Amino acid sequence: MPLIEIKDLEKIYTTDGVKTPALEGVSLSIEPGEFLAIMGPSGSGKSTLLHILGFLDDYTKGEYRLDGKIIDNYSKEEIAQIRNQKMGFIFQSFNLLPRATVFENIKLPLIYSQTPEKKWVNLVIEAISSVGLSHRLDYEASRLSGGEKQRVAIARALVNNPQVIFADEPTGNLDSKSGQIIMDIIQKLSIDQKRTVILVTHETYTSEYAERIITLKDGRMNSDRKVTERHIAGDKFHK
């Protein structure tokens, strides 16, 4: 059974009585453990689609099933719980607290979870280790490089052991070397940990870390293809 399934999904924004369609009739399914990249020009609807799939925005029309259940049948409390416990988010702008330590930033999702506090330290240590940044645990976020900040953001997304990782232009603010490190880490989450990864990117090279690429144009599905020559992450993290 697909983990995520959408059918004829539409999103319309209304401003001062003017309706602007962002998504029109988008249908797709995503299997557990699949690494999917969403591409398209600016304004194509790719970030809107990711936000809807991640319960960060509502859709106007259509159907969205998660684990076989139509999300319209979830209560607001259930949606909040799923977002906190089953979904991890990585954004282009990192969204770290600059004066908080790496440890404190990664711990944040646990504060709003049902995870017992006695487990928090081990979970944070495990998450930061998975991105090769254990030596920065006590650093303030403001002291980190851009690549290191994004690795902390990935660790924060992992700390609740989510089922799905949503990554919205995660390399957009990074140089090419740092971007490659980040994509290596994200791909390993899919391959080694069998997590589902949904990536929004405008970079062809970045998208080819995924197994499958869909492209959007003017809010509609333009193509859906398997990646035949996939970039595969190296065996070691760079420091």
Short mmCIF file of all heavy atoms in Angstrom, two decimals, residues 94-150:
data_model
loop_
_atom_site.label_atom_id
_atom_site.label_comp_id
_atom_site.label_asym_id
_atom_site.label_seq_id
_atom_site.Cartn_x
_atom_site.Cartn_y
_atom_site.Cartn_z
N PHE A 94 17.40 26.88 7.15
CA PHE A 94 17.87 26.18 8.36
C PHE A 94 16.89 26.29 9.53
O PHE A 94 16.63 25.31 10.21
CB PHE A 94 19.26 26.68 8.83
CG PHE A 94 20.26 26.91 7.74
CD1 PHE A 94 21.01 28.07 7.70
CD2 PHE A 94 20.44 25.97 6.72
CE1 PHE A 94 21.94 28.30 6.71
CE2 PHE A 94 21.37 26.18 5.71
CZ PHE A 94 22.12 27.36 5.70
N ASN A 95 16.40 27.53 9.83
CA ASN A 95 15.45 27.75 10.93
C ASN A 95 15.98 27.30 12.29
O ASN A 95 15.25 26.72 13.10
CB ASN A 95 14.11 27.04 10.63
CG ASN A 95 13.36 27.69 9.49
OD1 ASN A 95 13.73 28.76 9.01
ND2 ASN A 95 12.32 27.03 9.01
N LEU A 96 17.26 27.58 12.55
CA LEU A 96 17.84 27.29 13.86
C LEU A 96 17.74 28.51 14.77
O LEU A 96 17.65 29.64 14.29
CB LEU A 96 19.31 26.89 13.71
CG LEU A 96 19.64 25.68 12.84
CD1 LEU A 96 21.14 25.44 12.83
CD2 LEU A 96 18.89 24.44 13.29
N LEU A 97 17.77 28.28 16.07
CA LEU A 97 17.86 29.38 17.04
C LEU A 97 19.32 29.76 17.17
O LEU A 97 20.13 28.96 17.66
CB LEU A 97 17.30 28.94 18.39
CG LEU A 97 15.82 28.50 18.42
CD1 LEU A 97 15.44 28.00 19.80
CD2 LEU A 97 14.92 29.65 17.98
N PRO A 98 19.72 30.94 16.72
CA PRO A 98 21.14 31.27 16.60
C PRO A 98 21.91 31.27 17.91
O PRO A 98 23.10 30.93 17.93
CB PRO A 98 21.14 32.66 15.96
CG PRO A 98 19.78 33.22 16.23
CD PRO A 98 18.86 32.05 16.26
N ARG A 99 21.27 31.65 19.03
CA ARG A 99 21.98 31.72 20.31
C ARG A 99 21.84 30.43 21.13
O ARG A 99 22.39 30.34 22.23
CB ARG A 99 21.45 32.91 21.13
CG ARG A 99 21.72 34.25 20.47
CD ARG A 99 23.19 34.46 20.23
NE ARG A 99 23.46 35.69 19.48
CZ ARG A 99 24.64 36.01 19.00
NH1 ARG A 99 25.67 35.18 19.16
NH2 ARG A 99 24.81 37.13 18.32
N ALA A 100 21.13 29.48 20.61
CA ALA A 100 21.02 28.18 21.29
C ALA A 100 22.12 27.25 20.78
O ALA A 100 22.63 27.41 19.68
CB ALA A 100 19.65 27.56 21.02
N THR A 101 22.48 26.28 21.59
CA THR A 101 23.51 25.32 21.18
C THR A 101 22.93 24.33 20.18
O THR A 101 21.71 24.23 20.00
CB THR A 101 24.05 24.54 22.38
OG1 THR A 101 22.98 23.74 22.92
CG2 THR A 101 24.59 25.46 23.44
N VAL A 102 23.83 23.61 19.55
CA VAL A 102 23.42 22.54 18.63
C VAL A 102 22.52 21.56 19.37
O VAL A 102 21.46 21.16 18.87
CB VAL A 102 24.66 21.83 18.05
CG1 VAL A 102 24.28 20.53 17.36
CG2 VAL A 102 25.39 22.76 17.08
N PHE A 103 22.93 21.17 20.58
CA PHE A 103 22.12 20.24 21.38
C PHE A 103 20.72 20.79 21.60
O PHE A 103 19.71 20.08 21.41
CB PHE A 103 22.80 19.99 22.73
CG PHE A 103 22.04 19.04 23.62
CD1 PHE A 103 22.29 17.68 23.59
CD2 PHE A 103 21.05 19.51 24.49
CE1 PHE A 103 21.58 16.80 24.41
CE2 PHE A 103 20.34 18.65 25.30
CZ PHE A 103 20.61 17.29 25.26
N GLU A 104 20.63 22.06 21.99
CA GLU A 104 19.32 22.66 22.30
C GLU A 104 18.45 22.75 21.05
O GLU A 104 17.22 22.55 21.14
CB GLU A 104 19.53 24.04 22.90
CG GLU A 104 20.12 24.00 24.31
CD GLU A 104 20.67 25.33 24.78
OE1 GLU A 104 20.93 26.22 23.93
OE2 GLU A 104 20.83 25.50 26.00
N ASN A 105 19.04 23.05 19.90
CA ASN A 105 18.27 23.12 18.66
C ASN A 105 17.71 21.76 18.27
O ASN A 105 16.55 21.66 17.86
CB ASN A 105 19.15 23.67 17.53
CG ASN A 105 19.10 25.18 17.43
OD1 ASN A 105 18.13 25.74 16.94
ND2 ASN A 105 20.14 25.83 17.92
N ILE A 106 18.51 20.74 18.39
CA ILE A 106 18.06 19.40 18.01
C ILE A 106 16.99 18.88 18.96
O ILE A 106 16.07 18.16 18.57
CB ILE A 106 19.26 18.42 17.95
CG1 ILE A 106 20.23 18.87 16.85
CG2 ILE A 106 18.79 17.00 17.68
CD1 ILE A 106 21.55 18.11 16.86
N LYS A 107 17.08 19.29 20.22
CA LYS A 107 16.15 18.82 21.25
C LYS A 107 14.73 19.38 21.07
O LYS A 107 13.75 18.78 21.56
CB LYS A 107 16.70 19.22 22.62
CG LYS A 107 15.90 18.71 23.80
CD LYS A 107 16.49 19.20 25.12
CE LYS A 107 16.24 20.68 25.34
NZ LYS A 107 16.68 21.13 26.68
N LEU A 108 14.60 20.50 20.39
CA LEU A 108 13.32 21.21 20.34
C LEU A 108 12.11 20.33 20.00
O LEU A 108 11.07 20.41 20.67
CB LEU A 108 13.41 22.38 19.35
CG LEU A 108 14.03 23.67 19.89
CD1 LEU A 108 14.17 24.68 18.76
CD2 LEU A 108 13.19 24.25 21.02
N PRO A 109 12.16 19.50 18.93
CA PRO A 109 10.96 18.70 18.61
C PRO A 109 10.57 17.74 19.72
O PRO A 109 9.39 17.38 19.85
CB PRO A 109 11.38 17.93 17.35
CG PRO A 109 12.50 18.74 16.76
CD PRO A 109 13.22 19.31 17.92
N LEU A 110 11.54 17.32 20.55
CA LEU A 110 11.24 16.37 21.62
C LEU A 110 10.40 17.01 22.71
O LEU A 110 9.61 16.34 23.38
CB LEU A 110 12.54 15.83 22.22
CG LEU A 110 13.40 15.00 21.27
CD1 LEU A 110 14.76 14.70 21.91
CD2 LEU A 110 12.70 13.70 20.89
N ILE A 111 10.54 18.33 22.88
CA ILE A 111 9.79 19.04 23.91
C ILE A 111 8.29 18.94 23.65
O ILE A 111 7.48 18.90 24.59
CB ILE A 111 10.23 20.53 23.97
CG1 ILE A 111 11.70 20.62 24.40
CG2 ILE A 111 9.34 21.34 24.90
CD1 ILE A 111 12.28 22.01 24.31
N TYR A 112 7.91 18.87 22.39
CA TYR A 112 6.50 18.82 22.00
C TYR A 112 6.03 17.40 21.68
O TYR A 112 4.94 17.20 21.17
CB TYR A 112 6.26 19.73 20.80
CG TYR A 112 6.69 21.15 21.04
CD1 TYR A 112 7.91 21.62 20.56
CD2 TYR A 112 5.90 22.02 21.79
CE1 TYR A 112 8.32 22.92 20.80
CE2 TYR A 112 6.31 23.32 22.04
CZ TYR A 112 7.52 23.76 21.54
OH TYR A 112 7.93 25.05 21.79
N SER A 113 6.88 16.42 21.98
CA SER A 113 6.56 15.03 21.68
C SER A 113 6.11 14.30 22.94
O SER A 113 6.11 14.85 24.04
CB SER A 113 7.79 14.32 21.09
OG SER A 113 8.74 14.06 22.11
N GLN A 114 5.77 13.04 22.77
CA GLN A 114 5.39 12.20 23.90
C GLN A 114 6.57 11.36 24.39
O GLN A 114 6.40 10.49 25.24
CB GLN A 114 4.22 11.29 23.50
CG GLN A 114 2.96 12.06 23.11
CD GLN A 114 1.83 11.15 22.65
OE1 GLN A 114 2.04 9.97 22.38
NE2 GLN A 114 0.62 11.71 22.56
N THR A 115 7.76 11.64 23.87
CA THR A 115 8.96 10.90 24.26
C THR A 115 9.36 11.26 25.69
O THR A 115 9.48 12.45 26.02
CB THR A 115 10.13 11.23 23.31
OG1 THR A 115 9.72 10.96 21.97
CG2 THR A 115 11.35 10.39 23.65
N PRO A 116 9.58 10.28 26.56
CA PRO A 116 10.00 10.58 27.94
C PRO A 116 11.30 11.38 27.97
O PRO A 116 12.22 11.12 27.20
CB PRO A 116 10.20 9.18 28.55
CG PRO A 116 9.36 8.27 27.72
CD PRO A 116 9.40 8.83 26.33
N GLU A 117 11.36 12.35 28.87
CA GLU A 117 12.51 13.26 28.93
C GLU A 117 13.83 12.52 29.18
O GLU A 117 14.89 12.95 28.73
CB GLU A 117 12.28 14.31 30.01
CG GLU A 117 13.30 15.43 30.00
CD GLU A 117 12.94 16.56 30.93
OE1 GLU A 117 11.81 16.57 31.46
OE2 GLU A 117 13.80 17.45 31.15
N LYS A 118 13.76 11.41 29.87
CA LYS A 118 14.99 10.66 30.19
C LYS A 118 15.66 10.10 28.93
O LYS A 118 16.84 9.74 28.98
CB LYS A 118 14.68 9.53 31.16
CG LYS A 118 13.74 8.46 30.62
CD LYS A 118 13.44 7.41 31.69
CE LYS A 118 12.48 6.34 31.15
NZ LYS A 118 12.17 5.31 32.18
N LYS A 119 14.93 10.06 27.82
CA LYS A 119 15.50 9.54 26.57
C LYS A 119 16.06 10.63 25.66
O LYS A 119 16.69 10.34 24.65
CB LYS A 119 14.42 8.76 25.79
CG LYS A 119 13.94 7.50 26.49
CD LYS A 119 12.95 6.74 25.61
CE LYS A 119 12.51 5.44 26.27
NZ LYS A 119 11.57 4.68 25.39
N TRP A 120 15.82 11.89 26.01
CA TRP A 120 16.15 12.99 25.11
C TRP A 120 17.64 13.05 24.79
O TRP A 120 18.01 13.22 23.63
CB TRP A 120 15.69 14.31 25.70
CG TRP A 120 14.20 14.49 25.72
CD1 TRP A 120 13.25 13.57 25.33
CD2 TRP A 120 13.47 15.63 26.19
NE1 TRP A 120 11.99 14.07 25.51
CE2 TRP A 120 12.09 15.33 26.04
CE3 TRP A 120 13.86 16.86 26.72
CZ2 TRP A 120 11.10 16.24 26.39
CZ3 TRP A 120 12.87 17.77 27.08
CH2 TRP A 120 11.50 17.47 26.92
N VAL A 121 18.49 12.95 25.80
CA VAL A 121 19.93 13.11 25.57
C VAL A 121 20.44 12.07 24.57
O VAL A 121 21.15 12.41 23.62
CB VAL A 121 20.72 13.01 26.89
CG1 VAL A 121 22.22 12.97 26.62
CG2 VAL A 121 20.39 14.19 27.80
N ASN A 122 20.07 10.83 24.77
CA ASN A 122 20.53 9.77 23.87
C ASN A 122 20.01 9.97 22.45
O ASN A 122 20.73 9.73 21.47
CB ASN A 122 20.12 8.39 24.39
CG ASN A 122 20.95 7.94 25.58
OD1 ASN A 122 22.06 8.45 25.80
ND2 ASN A 122 20.43 7.01 26.36
N LEU A 123 18.77 10.42 22.33
CA LEU A 123 18.20 10.64 21.00
C LEU A 123 18.92 11.78 20.28
O LEU A 123 19.18 11.70 19.08
CB LEU A 123 16.70 10.95 21.11
CG LEU A 123 15.81 9.77 21.49
CD1 LEU A 123 14.39 10.23 21.77
CD2 LEU A 123 15.81 8.71 20.39
N VAL A 124 19.24 12.86 21.00
CA VAL A 124 19.97 13.97 20.39
C VAL A 124 21.35 13.53 19.96
O VAL A 124 21.81 13.84 18.85
CB VAL A 124 20.05 15.16 21.37
CG1 VAL A 124 20.99 16.23 20.82
CG2 VAL A 124 18.67 15.76 21.61
N ILE A 125 22.04 12.80 20.82
CA ILE A 125 23.39 12.32 20.49
C ILE A 125 23.36 11.40 19.28
O ILE A 125 24.21 11.49 18.39
CB ILE A 125 24.01 11.60 21.71
CG1 ILE A 125 24.32 12.63 22.81
CG2 ILE A 125 25.28 10.84 21.32
CD1 ILE A 125 24.76 12.03 24.12
N GLU A 126 22.36 10.54 19.21
CA GLU A 126 22.24 9.63 18.07
C GLU A 126 21.97 10.41 16.78
O GLU A 126 22.53 10.11 15.73
CB GLU A 126 21.09 8.64 18.33
CG GLU A 126 20.90 7.60 17.24
CD GLU A 126 19.76 6.64 17.54
OE1 GLU A 126 19.42 6.49 18.74
OE2 GLU A 126 19.21 6.05 16.59
N ALA A 127 21.11 11.42 16.87
CA ALA A 127 20.77 12.22 15.68
C ALA A 127 21.97 13.00 15.17
O ALA A 127 22.24 13.03 13.96
CB ALA A 127 19.61 13.16 16.00
N ILE A 128 22.72 13.64 16.07
CA ILE A 128 23.87 14.44 15.62
C ILE A 128 24.97 13.54 15.10
O ILE A 128 25.69 13.89 14.16
CB ILE A 128 24.39 15.36 16.76
CG1 ILE A 128 25.29 16.46 16.19
CG2 ILE A 128 25.10 14.58 17.82
CD1 ILE A 128 24.58 17.44 15.29
N SER A 129 25.11 12.34 15.65
CA SER A 129 26.10 11.39 15.16
C SER A 129 25.78 10.95 13.73
O SER A 129 26.68 10.75 12.91
CB SER A 129 26.15 10.17 16.09
OG SER A 129 27.04 9.20 15.59
N SER A 130 24.50 10.84 13.42
CA SER A 130 24.09 10.36 12.10
C SER A 130 24.45 11.33 10.99
O SER A 130 24.48 10.95 9.81
CB SER A 130 22.58 10.07 12.08
OG SER A 130 21.84 11.27 12.10
N VAL A 131 24.72 12.60 11.34
CA VAL A 131 25.13 13.58 10.33
C VAL A 131 26.60 13.97 10.48
O VAL A 131 27.05 14.95 9.89
CB VAL A 131 24.23 14.84 10.36
CG1 VAL A 131 22.79 14.47 10.07
CG2 VAL A 131 24.34 15.58 11.70
N GLY A 132 27.34 13.20 11.30
CA GLY A 132 28.77 13.39 11.41
C GLY A 132 29.19 14.69 12.07
O GLY A 132 30.22 15.28 11.70
N LEU A 133 28.42 15.17 13.06
CA LEU A 133 28.71 16.48 13.64
C LEU A 133 28.73 16.45 15.18
O LEU A 133 28.48 17.45 15.83
CB LEU A 133 27.66 17.48 13.16
CG LEU A 133 28.11 18.94 12.93
CD1 LEU A 133 29.21 19.01 11.89
CD2 LEU A 133 26.93 19.79 12.50
N SER A 134 29.09 15.30 15.73
CA SER A 134 29.11 15.16 17.19
C SER A 134 30.05 16.14 17.87
O SER A 134 29.81 16.56 19.01
CB SER A 134 29.51 13.73 17.57
OG SER A 134 28.59 12.79 17.06
N HIS A 135 31.11 16.53 17.18
CA HIS A 135 32.11 17.43 17.76
C HIS A 135 31.61 18.88 17.86
O HIS A 135 32.32 19.75 18.39
CB HIS A 135 33.39 17.40 16.92
CG HIS A 135 33.21 17.77 15.49
ND1 HIS A 135 32.43 17.03 14.63
CD2 HIS A 135 33.70 18.80 14.76
CE1 HIS A 135 32.45 17.58 13.43
NE2 HIS A 135 33.21 18.66 13.49
N ARG A 136 30.40 19.16 17.39
CA ARG A 136 29.84 20.51 17.46
C ARG A 136 28.66 20.59 18.42
O ARG A 136 27.95 21.60 18.45
CB ARG A 136 29.37 20.95 16.06
CG ARG A 136 30.48 21.12 15.04
CD ARG A 136 31.28 22.39 15.31
NE ARG A 136 32.17 22.72 14.23
CZ ARG A 136 33.48 22.52 14.25
NH1 ARG A 136 34.05 21.96 15.32
NH2 ARG A 136 34.23 22.86 13.22
N LEU A 137 28.44 19.59 19.22
CA LEU A 137 27.21 19.50 20.02
C LEU A 137 27.00 20.69 20.95
O LEU A 137 25.87 21.14 21.16
CB LEU A 137 27.23 18.20 20.83
CG LEU A 137 25.88 17.73 21.40
CD1 LEU A 137 24.87 17.50 20.30
CD2 LEU A 137 26.07 16.45 22.22
N ASP A 138 28.09 21.25 21.51
CA ASP A 138 27.96 22.34 22.47
C ASP A 138 28.18 23.72 21.84
O ASP A 138 28.21 24.73 22.54
CB ASP A 138 28.95 22.14 23.63
CG ASP A 138 28.64 20.88 24.43
OD1 ASP A 138 27.44 20.60 24.62
OD2 ASP A 138 29.58 20.19 24.85
N TYR A 139 28.33 23.78 20.52
CA TYR A 139 28.52 25.06 19.84
C TYR A 139 27.19 25.80 19.73
O TYR A 139 26.13 25.20 19.57
CB TYR A 139 29.04 24.83 18.41
CG TYR A 139 30.54 24.68 18.29
CD1 TYR A 139 31.25 23.80 19.08
CD2 TYR A 139 31.24 25.42 17.35
CE1 TYR A 139 32.63 23.65 18.94
CE2 TYR A 139 32.62 25.29 17.20
CZ TYR A 139 33.30 24.39 18.01
OH TYR A 139 34.65 24.26 17.87
N GLU A 140 27.26 27.13 19.80
CA GLU A 140 26.09 27.93 19.44
C GLU A 140 25.88 27.82 17.93
O GLU A 140 26.84 27.80 17.16
CB GLU A 140 26.30 29.40 19.82
CG GLU A 140 26.05 29.69 21.27
CD GLU A 140 25.98 31.19 21.55
OE1 GLU A 140 26.11 31.98 20.59
OE2 GLU A 140 25.80 31.57 22.72
N ALA A 141 24.62 27.79 17.52
CA ALA A 141 24.31 27.66 16.10
C ALA A 141 24.91 28.79 15.27
O ALA A 141 25.29 28.59 14.12
CB ALA A 141 22.80 27.60 15.89
N SER A 142 25.02 29.99 15.86
CA SER A 142 25.54 31.14 15.12
C SER A 142 27.01 30.97 14.74
O SER A 142 27.51 31.67 13.86
CB SER A 142 25.38 32.41 15.96
OG SER A 142 26.09 32.30 17.18
N ARG A 143 27.72 30.06 15.38
CA ARG A 143 29.14 29.84 15.12
C ARG A 143 29.38 28.84 14.00
O ARG A 143 30.53 28.62 13.59
CB ARG A 143 29.85 29.36 16.39
CG ARG A 143 29.84 30.35 17.53
CD ARG A 143 30.46 29.75 18.78
NE ARG A 143 31.85 29.32 18.54
CZ ARG A 143 32.53 28.52 19.36
NH1 ARG A 143 31.94 28.06 20.47
NH2 ARG A 143 33.77 28.19 19.09
N LEU A 144 28.34 28.22 13.51
CA LEU A 144 28.48 27.16 12.51
C LEU A 144 28.52 27.72 11.10
O LEU A 144 27.96 28.78 10.81
CB LEU A 144 27.31 26.17 12.63
CG LEU A 144 27.11 25.49 13.98
CD1 LEU A 144 25.86 24.63 13.94
CD2 LEU A 144 28.32 24.66 14.38
N SER A 145 29.13 26.97 10.20
CA SER A 145 29.07 27.30 8.77
C SER A 145 27.69 26.95 8.24
O SER A 145 26.90 26.26 8.89
CB SER A 145 30.14 26.51 8.01
OG SER A 145 29.81 25.12 7.99
N GLY A 146 27.40 27.39 7.02
CA GLY A 146 26.09 27.09 6.42
C GLY A 146 25.86 25.59 6.29
O GLY A 146 24.77 25.09 6.59
N GLY A 147 26.88 24.87 5.85
CA GLY A 147 26.74 23.42 5.70
C GLY A 147 26.51 22.74 7.03
O GLY A 147 25.70 21.80 7.13
N GLU A 148 27.21 23.21 8.07
CA GLU A 148 27.02 22.63 9.40
C GLU A 148 25.62 22.94 9.93
O GLU A 148 24.98 22.08 10.56
CB GLU A 148 28.09 23.17 10.35
CG GLU A 148 29.48 22.60 10.10
CD GLU A 148 30.55 23.26 10.95
OE1 GLU A 148 30.37 24.44 11.34
OE2 GLU A 148 31.56 22.60 11.22
N LYS A 149 25.14 24.15 9.69
CA LYS A 149 23.77 24.49 10.13
C LYS A 149 22.75 23.57 9.49
O LYS A 149 21.80 23.12 10.16
CB LYS A 149 23.46 25.95 9.78
CG LYS A 149 24.20 26.96 10.63
CD LYS A 149 23.91 28.39 10.17
CE LYS A 149 24.68 29.41 11.01
NZ LYS A 149 24.47 30.79 10.55
N GLN A 150 22.94 23.27 8.21
CA GLN A 150 21.97 22.39 7.56
C GLN A 150 22.07 20.97 8.09
O GLN A 150 21.06 20.27 8.19
CB GLN A 150 22.17 22.42 6.04
CG GLN A 150 21.02 21.84 5.25
CD GLN A 150 19.68 22.54 5.49
OE1 GLN A 150 19.10 22.46 6.58
NE2 GLN A 150 19.19 23.23 4.49
#
